[in-house]
Amino acid sequence: MIEVRDLVKKYAGVTAVDRITFSVEKGEIVGFLGKNGAGKSTTMKMLSCYFPPTAGVARVAGFDCVTQSMEVRRRIGYMPESVPLYPDMRVEEYLTYRARLKGVPRRERAHAVNEVVSSTGLMDVRRKLIGSLSKGYRQRTGLAEAIVHKPELLILDEPTAGLDPGQIRQVRELIKELGKRTTLLLSTHILNEVELTATRILLIHRGRLVASGTPGSLVGGHQTARRYYLEVRGPGDAVNAALQAIPNVTGLSWSPAADWHGFKLESVPEFDLRAELAKTVVGNGWDLRELREEKMTLEDLFVQITRTDEAAPGGGVTQIRPAPVEPAPAAGGPA
Amino acid sequence: MTAPAPAAWSAQRRAGVATNVAIQLACLLAVLIGLNWISSRRYARWDLTAQAEYSLGDKTRQLLGRIGEGEAKYQVVVFYAPDEYGAWEAALRKTKDILEEYRTNSHGRIEYEVLSLYTGGREAVMDAVKRHKIRTEQFSPNDVLFKKGDTERIVNLSEFFQQDWSSAPQGQPPKLTAFNGEQIITSTLQALSQEKPIVIGFTAGHEESSPAKAGGEGYSIFARQILEKREGYEIRQIQIGGPEGVPKGVDLVLVAGPLRDFTESDVRNLKLYLNAGGRALFLLDAYPDRDGRKLVILNAFLAEWGIIAGHDLVIADADSALAVEIPGEGGTSLRTKDPTMFRPAKYENRHLITSKFDSDKEIHFVGACSVLIDPKQAPEGIKTTVLVYTNADTFATPLFPQVKTFVAGKCMDGPFGLAAAAEGKIKGNAGPETRIVVIGDSTALCDGIWGMKVARPDLVLNSIRWLANQEYIIGVDPKTPEDRSLVLTDSEDGYVFRVAVFFLPLIAIAFGGTMWLTRRSQ
Amino acid sequence: MTNLPALTKREFTAYFYSPMAYVIATGYLIFSGLSFYILLKDTRDANAMRNLLTFLGFIHTIFVPMVTMRLIAEERKTGTLEMLVTAPVSDVEIAVSKFLGALGFTVLMIAPTLLYTWIITRVGGRPDYGLVWASYIGLVCLTAAYISIGLFISSTTANQIIAAILTFVVLFTVYFLLGFFAGSVRGLPWKDTINWPEVVTYVHFSSHLESFGKGLVDTRDIVYFLSVVGLGLFLTVKSLESRRWR
């Protein structure tokens, strides 16, 4: 459905999007993840034919976004981040107008508008002026507009931005519902949003695509170490020494306490050391209250990638290098 | 996935697009300039005014069409001298408007400029004087100069219009009652465009009013200023009684108020000339002979053509008589009506000469005689027409009872004719049509009357044009401007202010308010 | 051009949804009403339209920018322009529809001034209706040219106030100021082949309004105004497209 190759966009010397390549198959729900200003919106604007790329190719449904932009525009529904609407129009009026622009035949127009009004829950406000609507309703109006002509591809830029938690949940459900019908590309900077809605994630940072895959495979693919957390009652120094002596342990941090000491451990990813750890603690006669492996989250990955980049500004982040294993990285786990 | 397509959008292509846009813009500009260029040469112009004020007559268009193909440019300069009443302003505006139409319709062959002598700045006037090589001493205020190369004609703006002072409110400029700018401009341009002038032969030897004599009964103003300078005719004084008859090269013979009768040889020669398609204009008067001799031979000659000139004096009633000032003792003057000076009541519109005259047309007759027709006396092939009539209350009194041609001692009651025309070919004439016009008055165009500024030459001029085959000039319509002035009373003034400044904007507010409220509601 | 009716309808009706439009129309009618009243009193001429036309041409240099300023600048500011250009409509359709919408509104705004002629007849005047019609044809042509210029300027900025001021400056120049320059451009290059004063006079809007005021409809004036409209629309389209290379 989407085919993007070496896409570059420069604004006045600043490279907003830098050689992005990806493709989206029909029926996928793809989450575009990245911090603000990472290049998500720019990429989406190029795909929706708002402006052309500086270099590279973007194709939607086999049509080039530059040379066949009319064909592309007919096939997509696009909701920009700010959800621009005409405040002086009534909801239904606006949807009818947009349906007409998007080529919904006259006979089907009323039906199409009715359908999107009910499916996006706008029934109660259909006669209201858009300017008087709440943020949530505006977002729904924007969504309704994007789908009124049953597009093959739906591009939603930050569809939940600025909503309260209740509205976010509603919009998210709506998106899930939509995802069953069309191919969907949505962007967000909120991590669990993609985890909840997307079947695949494109992680973009500083204009570059840094990772892509299902939420699980992403984390798996980028895991560079296994982390464990133990709580042990015993002489702290001795426990520390014993744990450090276990083979394959690459890092350890000890937060001393009067009674139960907390230990964070890192090891090479190849082996699960939990049995070994338990055996060591219990074998030395110390008490073990807790032992768990700390799974890496998407958020960890996100933070890891962006921090790496900030450490080496300007450097290309084409692949993720393992973080250096240090004895006392305090950033390991705010749970 | 398929192999990557070549980069669809690169920096080079982007620069290319910018150049492309620049080229497109240049092309568009070129097309638009070309379009405007063509449109300024080939265009249509619709006159939507009720009276078609700006539509030049067909005759003028024909002339402009001919001028348009010519080589030289025509220049018209108006030396406008505004007066304190603003009396000439309306006339100037109309003159400017119509000159603009001449410029437009001649595709710029005719250029004009208007110089305001008192308000326009000295420099502009001096500049124009230098450019057009104007001899300032020969100019009077409100003169209009027509120039083509070194040939020039001068007309005064006062001839372009007629005004009515009597109905003008106190302190207001008078109303324009007629505007014949087109007629004058067209005939003047026509005269300028002519290669070889038409020759008018003023007969001499019968104590006629002479073009060479200035003042009193002289014809110098009419002959020199109007016929020669403005209309472009060539004036000659001719003897017709000689053995060679009417001299060759004379296009029309003009007999201006003879006081002595013609001789038999004069008449014989004139007859020969007219039979071969000659043209003649006779201006006769009520006082033909001081010596007691009458114009018996001449009148008999005219009667042969079916035109009967009366030995009488036309006495007008109070309605058509003109008011004159008679100087009295101690600088006083008496304003009274002179029954021998009058305006005719009716013009024959079926004849070309008077076709454009309506009953308001200002033509003056001074000491006139009647001119009637008798078609039975006219030779075969000659058609006679009375051109001008008096009203019913005017009568003609015979001055010489011994001549009892048609009214034996009795007065003739109106309406009767004051001018007549005869035209046609008599048997054996292989040349052009013979044309004769007889007008029962010559005094109205003599220098004395010009001095009083009441000379109205249109009837004589049209006769000359008709005789000289210049029908196209007669065809130009004089226009009577419609009075569109509007003076508001105080209550009307308040009404206009209320409606225009309060009521209409209120409509917008009310409409907007309603719209706004309905929009707000669910 | 299949979307043109829908787009034009939207642009036209948008004016009626905005209180600003009524404020503009009211102000316009007050100004033109005052001009009409003063002219009628002063000239005592039932053909007041001939003189009024010159005044209206000037008043339009103030009010047309207020009508056109929002056309694209507002959409650019609120972001709806992005929605508009990513819908399957061409930039030409967008420019033309906005032009037509604004023209429609302005014509409606001018329409009440037709009643001035009625006022004249009410107080006993006899206006020349041919002259009135010719004047209004001229006024609409002039206004169309104004709108295309305003539309283009509105497309170059997201700030409506800047658009309005800039439009006013340009319109004031082409309608009024150019008349003063005509004499002072003799010294320009190629003065032997190009008659600059004539060119400036030709470009000068007032010179193309004169004939209409007399009651004459001349194709030369119409062609000129339509050329300005064409140029304005072309520049607007290119300005909309310029997001592609900026």
Side-chain angles (χ1 to χ4, degrees):
Chain A
M1 183 54 63
I2 303 179
E3 195 190 333
V4 167
R5 199 168 290 273
D6 294 327
L7 208 60
V8 177
K9 181 73 192 178
K10 289 180 183 165
Y11 299 107
V14 178
T15 307
V17 171
D18 190 5
R19 276 169 288 154
I20 283 183
T21 299
F22 68 91
S23 59
V24 174
E25 295 303 316
K26 206 175 167 105
E28 275 189 296
I29 302 179
V30 176
F32 229 152
L33 187 62
K35 296 210 295 187
N36 289 330
K40 305 181 300 262
S41 292
T42 306
T43 310
M44 288 180 142
K45 282 183 201 305
M46 285 187 279
L47 284 171
S48 61
C49 310
Y50 181 56
F51 46 57
T54 310
V57 184
R59 286 167 171 278
V60 170
F63 296 103
D64 189 281
C65 284
V66 176
T67 56
Q68 293 160 304
S69 105
M70 213 46 108
E71 293 298 323
V72 173
R73 283 191 254 166
R74 265 190 259 280
R75 284 168 175 76
I76 58 167
Y78 170 51
M79 185 172 88
E81 184 176 353
S82 56
V83 198
L85 302 165
Y86 295 119
D88 56 351
M89 286 180 114
R90 300 185 195 279
V91 172
E92 209 170 43
E93 222 169 43
Y94 176 68
L95 293 176
T96 312
Y97 165 63
R98 292 296 296 188
R100 194 170 162 192
L101 286 194
K102 291 170 162 193
V104 177
R106 180 190 285 270
R107 270 191 241 147
E108 297 162 34
R109 224 174 277 153
H111 178 69
V113 170
N114 270 331
E115 207 175 74
V116 292
V117 162
S118 60
S119 72
T120 52
L122 288 167
M123 244 0 175
D124 301 339
V125 296
R126 59 193 295 172
R127 297 283 304 146
K128 276 200 168 171
L129 290 179
I130 292 172
S132 66
L133 294 183
S134 70
K135 183 85 178 98
Y137 274 122
R138 277 188 215 201
Q139 210 80 8
R140 289 176 192 212
T141 310
L143 270 175
E145 189 280 327
I147 59 173
V148 71
H149 60 307
K150 300 195 174 62
E152 292 173 37
L153 170 67
L154 201 51
I155 299 175
L156 306 176
D157 196 355
E158 305 269 6
T160 56
L163 298 181
D164 67 37
Q167 292 168 333
I168 289 178
R169 209 181 59 241
Q170 289 171 350
V171 169
R172 231 176 247 166
E173 250 142 54
L174 210 54
I175 290 169
K176 265 190 180 164
E177 202 58 40
L178 293 174
K180 290 175 188 165
R181 281 182 272 162
T182 52
T183 315
L184 216 158
L185 177 67
L186 77 157
S187 77
T188 180
H189 60 281
I190 300 163
L191 295 162
N192 56 356
E193 189 158 299
V194 260
E195 287 185 285
L196 286 169
T197 48
T199 53
R200 195 153 67 89
I201 288 167
L202 297 168
L203 193 58
I204 189 166
H205 183 63
R206 296 225 151 178
R208 294 198 177 180
L209 189 66
V210 287
S212 131
T214 59
S217 76
L218 256 188
V219 175
H222 291 290
Q223 206 155 9
T224 51
R226 283 175 187 257
R227 293 156 202 265
Y228 310 93
Y229 181 72
L230 302 91
E231 276 181 24
V232 180
R233 185 155 65 188
D237 295 332
V239 178
N240 195 18
L243 289 176
Q244 220 151 17
I246 297 170
N248 288 329
V249 168
T250 54
L252 180 94
S253 74
W254 168 34
S255 33
D259 197 2
W260 291 93
H261 299 279
F263 292 92
K264 283 179 179 172
L265 254 107
E266 280 185 17
S267 74
V268 292
E270 285 81 12
F271 311 106
D272 188 348
L273 293 185
R274 275 178 293 185
E276 195 76 20
L277 291 171
K279 225 184 276 170
T280 311
V281 174
V282 176
N284 282 316
W286 305 315
D287 295 333
L288 180 65
R289 186 168 72 175
E290 188 174 357
L291 168 60
R292 59 184 157 89
E293 185 180 353
E294 288 197 324
K295 287 277 188 198
M296 190 177 186
T297 61
L298 207 51
E299 196 165 331
D300 295 327
L301 178 69
F302 191 60
V303 169
Q304 185 187 343
I305 290 165
T306 54
R307 193 187 44 196
T308 315
D309 182 62
E310 272 148 22
V317 186
T318 41
Q319 53 167 274
I320 303 159
R321 281 178 279 110
V325 183
E326 278 168 31
Chain B
M1 281 294 168
T2 52
W9 199 256
S10 65
Q12 290 95 314
R13 253 194 89 174
R14 208 156 50 106
V17 165
T19 334
N20 193 16
V21 169
I23 292 168
Q24 279 177 30
L25 182 61
C27 287
L28 182 79
L29 281 177
V31 166
L32 289 182
I33 290 171
L35 198 68
N36 279 270
W37 179 267
I38 293 166
S39 97
S40 68
R41 265 141 198 83
R42 302 193 152 268
Y43 56 87
R45 200 167 161 91
W46 296 279
D47 186 348
L48 301 191
T49 55
Q51 288 187 295
E53 282 168 56
Y54 307 99
S55 303
L56 298 176
D58 292 342
K59 307 293 178 186
T60 302
R61 277 169 203 277
Q62 284 169 19
L63 172 73
L64 294 182
R66 272 188 290 139
I67 282 177
E69 293 155 12
E71 66 302 326
K73 284 207 171 187
Y74 292 72
Q75 266 145 349
V76 182
V77 190
V78 181
F79 292 89
Y80 175 59
D83 72 332
E84 54 186 313
Y85 303 108
W88 298 58
E89 250 170 54
L92 179 78
R93 179 146 133 172
K94 285 200 102 45
T95 306
K96 262 202 242 180
D97 286 348
I98 200 143
L99 281 173
E100 176 63 30
E101 296 310 304
Y102 276 88
R103 194 180 72 83
T104 303
N105 281 291
S106 67
H107 296 268
R109 285 266 163 224
I110 297 170
E111 292 172 342
Y112 73 96
E113 64 187 300
V114 175
L115 297 165
S116 192
L117 290 182
Y118 305 143
T119 57
R122 215 182 127 71
E123 272 177 43
V125 176
M126 291 321 288
D127 176 55
V129 165
K130 218 188 279 171
R131 258 186 297 130
H132 300 297
K133 301 191 192 76
I134 290 163
R135 285 154 289 157
T136 43
E137 71 280 0
Q138 71 176 73
F139 263 83
S140 22
N142 288 316
D143 267 353
V144 183
L145 169 75
F146 290 78
K147 216 168 186 289
K148 176 204 178 193
D150 290 332
T151 337
E152 60 181 46
R153 304 258 173 256
I154 297 164
V155 188
N156 196 269
L157 198 58
S158 61
E159 290 174 45
F160 283 49
F161 61 96
Q162 288 173 17
Q163 292 180 322
D164 178 12
W165 282 90
S166 60
S167 68
Q170 194 61 39
Q172 291 294 312
K175 284 168 185 155
L176 276 187
T177 53
F179 184 75
N180 39 358
E182 184 184 350
Q183 207 163 5
I184 291 184
I185 294 169
T186 299
S187 64
T188 314
L189 289 171
Q190 155 67 27
L192 272 181
S193 72
Q194 233 158 25
E195 303 275 309
K196 185 182 147 295
I198 288 169
V199 177
I200 298 177
F202 273 73
T203 55
H206 315 93
E207 296 181 27
E208 292 98 337
S209 295
S210 160
K213 189 184 158 225
E217 269 141 46
Y219 248 43
S220 69
I221 295 179
F222 179 62
R224 299 292 168 208
Q225 289 198 6
I226 305 296
L227 293 180
E228 231 174 22
K229 244 166 105 181
R230 191 179 101 193
E231 304 286 319
Y233 296 108
E234 188 183 320
I235 304 294
R236 277 190 216 160
Q237 284 189 274
I238 55 168
Q239 301 284 346
I240 54 170
E244 71 277 16
V246 175
K248 287 231 155 31
V250 170
D251 295 296
L252 80 95
V253 172
L254 199 159
V255 181
L259 293 178
R260 276 181 192 286
D261 203 358
F262 276 39
T263 63
E264 291 294 343
S265 65
D266 287 340
V267 169
R268 202 172 44 243
N269 287 341
L270 209 48
K271 195 170 182 173
L272 278 174
Y273 168 73
L274 288 173
N275 280 352
R279 307 288 163 97
L281 171 62
F282 298 89
L283 305 175
L284 305 177
D285 273 307
Y287 312 101
D289 193 340
R290 285 171 196 154
D291 302 342
R293 281 172 301 179
K294 291 92 202 166
L295 301 181
V296 179
I297 298 169
L298 179 60
N299 281 6
F301 168 73
L302 291 177
E304 282 177 35
W305 294 93
I307 296 174
I308 316 295
H311 275 170
D312 52 10
L313 172 67
V314 177
I315 307 291
D317 68 311
D319 279 351
S320 49
L322 297 171
V324 288
E325 310 242 328
I326 300 170
E329 284 166 26
T332 58
S333 69
L334 180 67
R335 194 172 168 83
T336 183
K337 291 210 167 178
D338 179 346
T340 64
M341 291 180 73
F342 63 96
R343 281 165 59 174
K346 207 184 122 209
Y347 301 94
E348 178 54 76
N349 293 132
R350 277 170 298 184
H351 196 281
L352 186 69
I353 294 175
T354 41
S355 61
K356 303 289 181 183
F357 292 0
D358 57 22
S359 54
D360 292 336
K361 181 75 186 172
E362 274 198 63
I363 305 281
H364 299 165
F365 277 74
V366 180
C369 65
S370 64
V371 176
L372 312 174
I373 57 165
D374 185 358
K376 275 177 268 169
Q377 290 191 41
E380 205 182 317
I382 297 293
K383 194 187 105 195
T384 52
T385 318
V386 173
L387 301 175
V388 182
Y389 294 92
T390 65
N391 64 11
D393 297 330
T394 298
F395 62 94
T397 169
L399 290 172
F400 309 98
Q402 61 269 47
V403 179
K404 299 173 183 172
T405 327
F406 45 89
V407 274
K410 281 178 73 186
C411 293
M412 179 169 62
D413 290 327
F416 51 82
L418 291 165
E423 62 203 285
K425 284 186 185 185
I426 62 157
K427 255 188 195 156
N429 176 12
E433 189 179 71
T434 302
R435 286 181 180 182
I436 300 169
V437 175
V438 180
I439 297 172
D441 178 39
S442 74
T443 325
L445 291 182
C446 67
D447 288 4
I449 303 289
W450 282 100
M452 290 162 68
K453 292 192 187 288
V454 288
R456 296 286 180 262
D458 289 0
L459 178 63
V460 175
L461 275 178
N462 271 8
S463 300
I464 292 174
R465 289 165 182 155
W466 178 66
L467 293 168
N469 281 350
Q470 294 176 303
E471 285 93 343
Y472 52 88
I473 302 177
I474 305 172
V476 177
D477 281 296
K479 282 169 185 149
T480 311
E482 211 170 322
D483 178 19
R484 303 210 183 264
S485 66
L486 175 63
V487 180
L488 299 178
T489 63
D490 282 350
S491 70
E492 285 170 341
D493 185 290
Y495 173 78
V496 171
F497 188 80
R498 278 195 306 279
V499 176
V501 185
F502 284 110
F503 181 63
L504 288 186
L506 219 60
I507 292 179
I509 295 174
F511 187 65
T514 324
M515 199 74 187
W516 184 239
L517 285 176
T518 44
R519 204 62 199 157
R520 286 279 112 180
S521 68
Q522 293 302 302
Chain C
M1 287 290 156
T2 51
N3 293 311
L4 201 55
L7 285 164
T8 307
K9 185 182 158 214
R10 156 68 196 156
E11 295 302 332
F12 181 64
T13 50
Y15 281 105
F16 297 94
Y17 299 161
S18 140
M20 184 66 187
Y22 297 104
V23 174
I24 295 168
T26 307
Y28 170 77
L29 287 176
I30 290 174
F31 264 81
S32 57
L34 268 175
S35 313
F36 165 69
Y37 170 72
I38 292 166
L39 270 176
L40 191 65
K41 246 187 108 146
D42 198 44
T43 60
R44 297 164 192 264
D45 187 356
N47 274 341
M49 199 57 212
R50 179 171 181 178
N51 300 306
L52 186 61
L53 187 63
T54 319
F55 271 72
L56 289 183
F58 173 70
I59 291 173
H60 280 212
T61 64
I62 300 166
F63 284 92
V64 166
M66 296 189 203
V67 172
T68 59
M69 64 180 185
R70 53 165 287 279
L71 284 174
I72 297 178
E74 187 185 39
E75 295 224 36
R76 207 181 272 286
K77 184 151 191 111
T78 59
T80 45
L81 188 64
E82 188 173 343
M83 297 301 287
L84 201 52
V85 299
T86 55
V89 295
S90 70
D91 292 343
V92 175
E93 285 173 326
I94 294 172
V96 173
S97 66
K98 284 184 177 293
F99 168 77
L100 291 178
L103 184 64
F105 174 75
T106 320
V107 165
L108 220 60
M109 183 171 91
I110 298 169
T113 65
L114 275 168
L115 289 176
Y116 296 160
T117 307
W118 173 75
I119 294 176
I120 290 174
T121 60
R122 289 275 296 167
V123 295
R126 291 187 305 129
D128 187 336
Y129 291 101
L131 187 145
V132 172
W133 288 123
S135 297
Y136 275 97
I137 292 170
L139 190 62
V140 170
C141 286
L142 175 82
T143 306
Y146 278 4
I147 289 172
S148 76
I149 293 173
L151 175 65
F152 167 59
I153 293 175
S154 178
S155 77
T156 58
T157 170
N159 187 325
Q160 294 190 46
I161 303 299
I162 290 178
I165 292 173
L166 213 62
T167 307
F168 167 73
V169 169
V170 171
L171 295 185
F172 188 72
T173 307
V174 292
Y175 181 73
F176 191 70
L177 286 184
L178 272 189
F180 294 114
F181 295 147
S184 58
V185 292
R186 292 181 197 280
L188 289 178
W190 307 304
K191 61 180 170 191
D192 297 331
T193 46
I194 298 173
N195 185 347
W196 286 110
E198 207 170 280
V199 169
V200 172
T201 308
Y202 189 82
V203 174
H204 190 202
F205 279 22
S206 300
S207 68
H208 290 279
L209 206 56
E210 232 168 72
S211 297
F212 290 115
K214 290 189 208 167
L216 295 168
V217 176
D218 194 317
T219 52
R220 283 171 298 178
D221 301 323
I222 294 174
V223 165
Y224 175 71
F225 284 132
L226 289 184
S227 302
V228 175
V229 169
L231 184 65
L233 288 178
F234 173 83
L235 290 175
T236 308
V237 170
K238 292 298 146 188
S239 165
L240 283 172
E241 277 179 11
S242 73
R243 66 179 188 276
R244 296 176 186 279
W245 64 80
R246 268 196 310 196

